[in-house]
Amino acid sequence: MKFIRTLVFITSATLLLAACGKESDEAAIAVQENTNPLLAHVPVDTAYVFANLESAPEELTDVYVDRFQPVLDVMTEQIEQFQSNYQSGVLEGNAMADLAMAVLDELGGSLSQESLNRLGISLQAHQAVYAKGAFPVMRLELSNAEELRNSVGRIESRMGYQLPEKSLNGTSYWRIADDEMKVAIYIAILEDQLAISFFPVAAEDSQLEAFLGQEMPAQSMASSNALAIMNHEKGYTAYGSGYVDIQKLSDEFLNPDSSTRKALGSHIDEHMDTLDAVCVDEIKAMIAKAPRMTTGVTQFTANELAMRYELEMESSLAAGLAALVPDIPPAGNGNHLMSASLAVKVGKLRNFVLEKVTAIVATPYQCTKLNDLNLQAEQLMTKLNIPMPPMVNNLMGVRIRMDDFDPAKEITQADGLVALHVDKPEMFVGMASMMVPGFEELDLANQTEPVKIPAQILPVEGVDVFALMGDNAIGASIGEQHVSDLDTFMSAKPQDDGTFLSVSYDMAKQMQIQAALGGQFSMAAVDNKATVNEYSEAMKEVYMEILDRSRVDMRLTGEGLQIDTSLTFK
């Protein structure tokens, strides 16, 4: 019998392992093979990287180029104004203006897909940005490297100045620096790519060969196929993804034997040596709570562009934060001006924070540079130990929906819906009845239709507010126009995915309101203020014709913080 049981166990285990192996094989097949040749330059242990594994389809880039052509047209008008000023002699002696004019001449006087193609740069190119140590390297695939070299030569001829070219083992490059600069910008046009980096001049011995592609990493992001595997696990598309290894990046500065510390030399050592071993260990322990952030494109279509950001957290911290999120409905997706939802168990949040700061007070940081954190923890613990009123302690979240707002009218003429989510609505109403004279006469607990709040209870002239109590929320309609929607709004389907903050808004309408209220597009400082205003107004009009809605959803899961963003276009 024992032999039979053993045989059955072995057979079952074999079948189970075979099934798992089959699933693993199928998962491996689903992972896209690396098709970005630039990732062969990226060390597998890089501190950060962002790259595309698949070029954007030409039919999609054509849609976006056409959509943003009005933006380019406005920019072209500014370029023409600059050219006119340059030719009139207003900018004589300005070296940057000379360079800009030479580049514009090479581009044919405008920035367009065609002019970029003439430089050997394609919108379908692969690209990669990554860290060598902590220093950034950018590589862009070229469709014709010789065309770009020729363009640089023609730009130099127009300027009457030749950039001093350097060479290492037969590969030429440019180093942009002066005698007082400890770091430099490095640019190289290689056989099939444009490479740009930024690192200390003193670190050329350890950085330059890899930058020029003469020294390749023993293990690369291409050979490990790490990005494709991450995309498969996270649900990112191949149109762009990456990560920042926060632990690894911080180690480049905290560890005295790191390549970055060696490259930066004594200058950085003077600052970092003030951190003793205790400080370094405590800082590393803090960073280990949220060691990595990933990001990737999740949707790329003709009318929508969406990305996700994920901050990975230590499991117990992630689980603790996720437990603070109640299941209340997220922001809606209608055609209204704005919808927003904030979901948090206020009472549990207080207890969670109190637990954390109490732990710090009990075992304070020993690093003197973290003394402020110890002091803040003590102050916060004192404040949190004050009991909260039951009304506040039972709060679970708030949702709003603003249907419209005419900036030409009074703010009191805006209309929308509000829902205050609480653990026990009847208790909340009871407390309000005791605190607000006349509130008990509304008898919200026994009403099935929204009740208008009398002016003596809500003394805001010109505003009509209608209230309704539900099973887990107290709702209000601002204005009479959407009273009939209040019950449906309050009873919307709750989310069950840890979303604690979500916002959806009409971008074009928001820009229109901002402009009407006196807001302006944020622009870089330019001498001619009238020109800036004219340019910003033109850009605003163009974007209002293009943009549709923007949405942000933040959620806490067992793995950490997840942020989804999306833009839709008309």
Side-chain angles (χ1 to χ4, degrees):
M1 289 295 294
K2 184 176 180 181
F3 171 78
I4 294 175
R5 287 198 302 269
T6 303
L7 182 60
V8 170
F9 173 79
I10 293 174
T11 303
S12 301
T14 303
L15 291 173
L16 179 61
L17 289 172
C20 292
K22 183 178 180 181
E23 289 175 0
S24 299
D25 291 342
E26 290 173 352
I29 293 172
V31 175
Q32 178 180 353
E33 290 297 323
N34 175 61
T35 55
N36 185 341
L38 303 177
L39 289 177
H41 295 268
V42 184
V44 72
D45 60 348
T46 185
Y48 55 84
V49 63
F50 188 87
N52 62 340
L53 300 182
E54 189 174 319
S55 300
E58 190 169 357
E59 58 269 22
L60 274 184
T61 57
D62 286 347
V63 169
Y64 280 87
V65 167
D66 290 343
R67 176 177 287 130
F68 282 89
Q69 188 58 50
V71 177
L72 297 177
D73 292 342
V74 173
M75 294 175 63
T76 298
E77 293 177 10
Q78 296 301 305
I79 290 172
E80 290 172 352
Q81 182 62 52
F82 164 77
Q83 291 172 318
S84 177
N85 291 339
Y86 185 88
Q87 291 164 359
S88 68
V90 173
L91 300 171
E92 186 175 355
N94 187 321
M96 290 304 296
D98 292 340
L99 175 60
M101 193 65 186
V103 172
L104 284 172
D105 286 345
E106 186 61 27
L107 290 171
S110 65
L111 181 63
S112 65
Q113 186 173 3
E114 291 74 20
S115 61
L116 289 175
N117 287 337
R118 286 198 296 270
L119 297 182
I121 298 174
S122 169
L123 295 181
Q124 275 66 53
H126 287 106
Q127 59 262 343
V129 178
Y130 62 96
K132 185 69 166 63
F135 305 111
V137 183
M138 184 192 80
R139 296 185 184 274
L140 176 65
E141 189 176 45
L142 297 174
S143 57
N144 193 323
E146 193 61 34
E147 281 297 330
L148 185 57
R149 289 194 192 96
N150 293 337
S151 293
V152 172
R154 288 191 290 268
I155 290 171
E156 290 176 327
S157 297
R158 292 189 183 97
M159 293 182 64
Y161 174 77
Q162 189 169 12
L163 294 171
E165 197 169 18
K166 295 181 173 293
S167 178
L168 178 69
N169 300 327
T171 304
S172 59
Y173 65 94
W174 293 281
R175 184 179 74 191
I176 303 174
D178 58 38
D179 294 337
E180 297 182 358
M181 291 178 64
K182 296 182 181 295
V183 295
I185 298 173
Y186 293 82
I187 304 173
I189 301 174
L190 305 177
E191 183 179 356
D192 57 356
Q193 62 183 275
L194 170 66
I196 302 173
S197 189
F198 178 83
F199 53 82
V201 175
E204 286 187 356
D205 288 347
S206 61
Q207 296 277 337
L208 200 51
E209 287 186 342
F211 169 69
L212 296 174
Q214 297 175 358
E215 178 186 275
M216 303 296 281
Q219 283 192 307
S220 70
M221 295 291 288
S223 59
S224 68
N225 206 22
L227 277 187
I229 294 171
M230 184 187 77
N231 290 350
H232 179 71
E233 294 173 347
K234 301 284 189 179
Y236 302 151
T237 70
Y239 296 126
S241 62
Y243 64 80
V244 177
D245 190 320
I246 305 170
Q247 273 188 315
K248 193 166 294 181
L249 187 59
S250 64
D251 285 347
E252 286 292 327
F253 295 96
L254 293 172
N255 294 345
D257 59 346
S258 71
S259 61
T260 300
R261 286 282 293 273
K262 291 176 181 177
L264 291 172
S266 59
H267 179 70
I268 188 70
D269 288 338
E270 293 174 4
H271 298 280
M272 300 305 296
D273 285 347
T274 60
L275 295 176
D276 58 26
V278 172
C279 286
V280 170
D281 288 344
E282 289 185 336
I283 292 172
K284 286 186 175 182
M286 293 169 66
I287 293 172
K289 296 292 184 181
R292 191 174 80 143
M293 171 171 272
T294 69
T295 184
V297 176
T298 53
Q299 191 75 256
F300 182 38
T301 66
N303 294 313
E304 182 179 5
L305 177 61
M307 292 194 69
R308 175 174 294 166
Y309 305 86
E310 297 185 58
L311 180 62
E312 298 172 353
M313 295 182 183
E314 182 268 329
S315 59
S316 63
L317 175 61
L321 289 171
L324 302 177
V325 184
D327 292 336
I328 73 171
N333 278 321
N335 293 323
H336 35 263
L337 172 62
M338 184 189 72
S339 179
S341 174
L342 174 64
V344 60
K345 299 174 182 176
V346 175
K348 286 193 173 183
L349 174 61
R350 169 191 171 274
N351 295 337
F352 179 84
V353 176
L354 181 59
E355 176 188 338
K356 299 302 178 185
V357 296
T358 301
I360 294 175
V361 171
T363 311
Y365 293 109
Q366 299 303 301
C367 175
T368 56
K369 293 186 178 295
L370 300 178
N371 280 344
D372 283 347
L373 290 179
N374 293 331
L375 179 59
Q376 291 168 14
E378 289 178 7
Q379 294 171 343
L380 189 54
M381 185 177 72
T382 300
K383 293 177 181 178
L384 291 175
N385 272 315
I386 300 173
M388 288 193 304
M391 291 176 65
V392 177
N393 206 51
N394 287 335
L395 284 174
M396 306 292 265
V398 61
R399 296 164 52 229
I400 63 172
R401 190 187 90 186
M402 184 177 289
D403 291 283
D404 201 1
F405 172 62
D406 186 345
K409 298 179 181 179
E410 295 292 331
I411 187 72
T412 55
Q413 294 181 271
D415 61 89
L417 302 171
V418 180
L420 190 65
H421 289 257
V422 291
D423 187 28
K424 296 179 176 63
E426 62 280 0
M427 185 184 74
F428 195 92
V429 169
M431 292 290 291
S433 298
M434 290 187 290
M435 298 171 62
V436 181
F439 195 87
E440 72 281 358
E441 296 177 9
L442 297 177
D443 194 22
L444 285 182
N446 295 309
Q447 302 296 330
T448 58
E449 297 292 333
V451 179
K452 184 176 180 180
I453 299 179
Q456 62 267 26
I457 296 178
L458 189 71
V460 181
E461 188 177 351
V463 179
D464 291 331
V465 178
F466 299 80
L468 180 66
M469 191 183 88
D471 293 335
N472 54 16
I474 300 167
S477 172
I478 313 301
E480 193 172 2
Q481 184 176 354
H482 296 284
V483 169
S484 60
D485 297 336
L486 183 57
D487 186 37
T488 302
F489 176 73
M490 291 174 61
S491 58
K493 183 179 179 181
Q495 53 82 22
D496 188 22
D497 61 357
T499 299
F500 69 93
L501 177 64
S502 54
V503 180
S504 172
Y505 66 94
D506 185 321
M507 289 185 286
K509 185 69 174 179
Q510 180 267 337
M511 293 170 67
Q512 181 183 355
I513 293 172
Q514 180 183 345
L517 294 176
Q520 295 292 336
F521 264 55
S522 176
M523 298 292 296
V526 179
D527 293 336
N528 190 335
K529 187 175 181 180
T531 301
V532 173
N533 289 338
E534 181 182 348
Y535 177 69
S536 64
E537 284 299 312
M539 292 294 282
K540 180 196 71 174
E541 293 296 329
V542 169
Y543 279 117
M544 285 174 60
E545 291 294 323
I546 295 172
L547 302 176
D548 185 20
R549 298 194 68 83
S550 175
R551 185 178 178 94
V552 178
D553 290 275
M554 299 185 183
R555 60 184 62 89
L556 289 164
T557 70
E559 285 74 43
L561 172 65
Q562 191 177 90
I563 304 174
D564 279 306
T565 66
S566 67
L567 296 174
T568 56
F569 303 90
K570 294 177 180 175

